[in-house]
């Protein structure tokens, strides 16, 4: 019998998202699960019960979705009533925030539940497909710019019209995590002049790649912390940072703040004095409002106007794009279910009988699991970081064997000299008997090989992938060789290449040109893909 995944309606005030969508329901059914969705669960995300039915889900009442389900998929953590409805020994997957909700953890442990917290997914490369915090932060960053544009009384992009010139808006983004980079890309695409700051030095290139300008703080300290988050900076750095932000506040039209360390109050980065120094009509969007806000004057959950500056303190930005946010979250849950499922058998109809397989040796599953069958397993051990392999010590030169004379090992420079001498002798022997035309082609071939070896393997990837760099470099050498073959003679008496050689050289130029320009086109499309994200 298939395990049942239940999707109840979210009861948290103002929550419009739902934990799964019809497209993902179909994928879960193929994995071997049965899906039960509470009636009306997707209404606020513009997903009807009929769409869930068409995807293969069963539409049930609120009581049945909890009673029938082996696994519950949710967004917000359960309230007291929902904890009571959870099956004894059942499995719950949702946001939990275990550090902030010890009482909830105790109640779930008392139910002998297994709880996987989507806010505790380890921030490692292998777990990116399950990283719900990042997928929702991406939406929040995009929506922050839309909210700012709505409150701002001017175009984002500059325009020159018959009625006069409109300057572009200036946007300053504080924090270049997932939300910050999404805000930078969105504002830049709308035509604004975008500046950004982050305590982590390594994100400067990411800011530039998204169309922004990195604003550095005049203080040497790196803010990179564990898990991809920034760390708390020293008092000296914070003072220099406040001076930088104060200067930017006077110049820009919009400030978007995203600085937040999970489990800690949001740092106060924008003071009341900075707000007062901003131009009337300016906008601040505070993405850290749920944890108190990065601006001293932010009122969490509300929009206020102080000194002519609009301060947006919404705590529910992802819910304002409910269908997209639900789809991304549902995909995160589906990817997690792929690691949890263990197919024990397949029925004649071809559908698997799924069972949960909690592999606590897997660092992703171990990090995400905060309660295992009633046993609190949070906090998890620190993720294992792949250490750089130890550099092998250079082997000592072998000592001469007693009674056998000096060592016969040939040093590297000597080996190169011997090889060149042998090659020169070989080419000399060929030159005595080969025709003149052959020697000319051979010379081009040898020089091509030599230049190729010296150039290709020293190519800097730059904006290419390493593979693209090497293939473009090889193509360039082929083009040069082919041009030499099709070129007219440089002096009288030089024999023209035969027609077959000309045709092959011309064909080589065409094919390598396609490869070169195709390589640049593919690279450009890859970069555009990241900019749009």
């Amino acid at each position: 019998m298939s395990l049942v995944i239940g999707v109840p309606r979210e009861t948290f005030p103002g929550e419009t998202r739902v934990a799964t969508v019809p497209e993902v329901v179909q994928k879960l059914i193929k994995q071997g699960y049965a899906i039960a969705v509470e009636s009306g669960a997707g209404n606020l995300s513009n997903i009807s019960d009929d769409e869930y039915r068409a995807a293969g889900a069963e539409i049930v009442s609120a009581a049945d979705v909890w009673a029938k389900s082996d696994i519950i998929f949710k967004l917000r953590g359960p309230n007291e009533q929902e904890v009571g409805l959870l099956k004894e020994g059942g499995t719950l997957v949702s946001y939990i925030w275990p550090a902030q909700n010890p009482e909830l953890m105790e109640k779930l442990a008392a139910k002998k539940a297994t709880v996987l917290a989507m806010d505790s997914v380890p921030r490692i490369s292998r777990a990116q497909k399950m990283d719900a915090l990042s997928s929702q932060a991406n939406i929040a960053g995009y929506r922050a710019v839309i909210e700012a544009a709505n409150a701002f009384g001017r175009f984002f992009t500059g325009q020159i019209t018959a009625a006069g010139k409109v300057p572009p808006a200036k946007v300053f983004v504080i924090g270049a995590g997932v939300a910050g980079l999404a805000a930078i890309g969105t504002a830049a695409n709308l035509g604004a002049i975008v500046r950004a700051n982050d305590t982590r030095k390594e994100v400067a290139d990411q800011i530039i790649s998204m169309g922004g300008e990195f604003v550095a703080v005049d203080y040497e300290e790196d803010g990179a912390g564990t898990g991809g988050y920034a760390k708390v900076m020293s008092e000296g750095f914070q003072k220099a940072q406040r001076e930088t932000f104060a200067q930017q506040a006077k110049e820009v039209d919009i400030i978007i703040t995203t600085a937040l360390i999970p489990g800690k109050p949001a740092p106060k980065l924008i003071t009341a004095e900075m707000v007062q120094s901003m131009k009337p009509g300016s906008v601040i969007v505070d993405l850290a409002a749920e944890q108190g806000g990065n601006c001293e004057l932010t009122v969490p959950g509300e929009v206020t106007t102080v000194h002519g500056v609009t301060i947006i303190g919404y705590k529910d930005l992802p819910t304002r794009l409910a269908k997209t946010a639900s789809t991304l979250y549902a995909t995160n849950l589906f990817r997690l279910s792929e690691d949890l499922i263990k197919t024990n058998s397949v029925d004649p109809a071809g559908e698997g009988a799924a069972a949960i397989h909690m592999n606590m040796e897997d660092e992703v599953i171990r990090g995400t699991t905060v309660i295992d069958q009633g046993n609190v397993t949070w906090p998890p051990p620190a993720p294992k970081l792949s250490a750089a392999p130890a550099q092998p010590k250079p082997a000592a030169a072998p000592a001469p064997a007693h009674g056998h004379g000096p060592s016969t090992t040939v040093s590297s420079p000597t080996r190169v000299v011997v090889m060149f001498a042998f090659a020169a002798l070989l080419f000399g022997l060929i030159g005595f008997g080969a025709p003149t035309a052959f020697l000319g082609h051979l010379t081009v071939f040898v020089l091509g090989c030599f230049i190729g070896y010296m150039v290709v393997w020293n190519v800097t990837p730059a904006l290419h992938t390493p593979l693209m760099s090497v293939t473009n470099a090889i193509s360039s050498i082929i083009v040069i060789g082919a041009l030499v073959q099709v070129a007219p003679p440089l002096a009288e008496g030089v024999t023209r290449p035969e027609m077959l050689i000309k045709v092959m050289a011309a064909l080589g130029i065409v094919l390598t040109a396609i490869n070169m320009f195709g390589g640049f086109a593919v690279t450009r499309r890859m970069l555009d893909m990241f900019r749009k994200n």
Side-chain angles (χ1 to χ4, degrees), residues 156-176:
F156 262 49
T157 185
Q159 292 193 9
I160 299 177
T161 70
K165 180 179 178 181
V166 179
K170 294 180 181 178
V171 179
F172 182 49
V173 179
I174 298 175

Side-chain angles (χ1 to χ4, degrees), residues 34 127 213 316 382 423 453 475 485 492 500:
E213 173 193 348
D316 57 353
Y453 179 80
S475 299
Q485 295 294 340
E492 199 160 320
L500 179 60

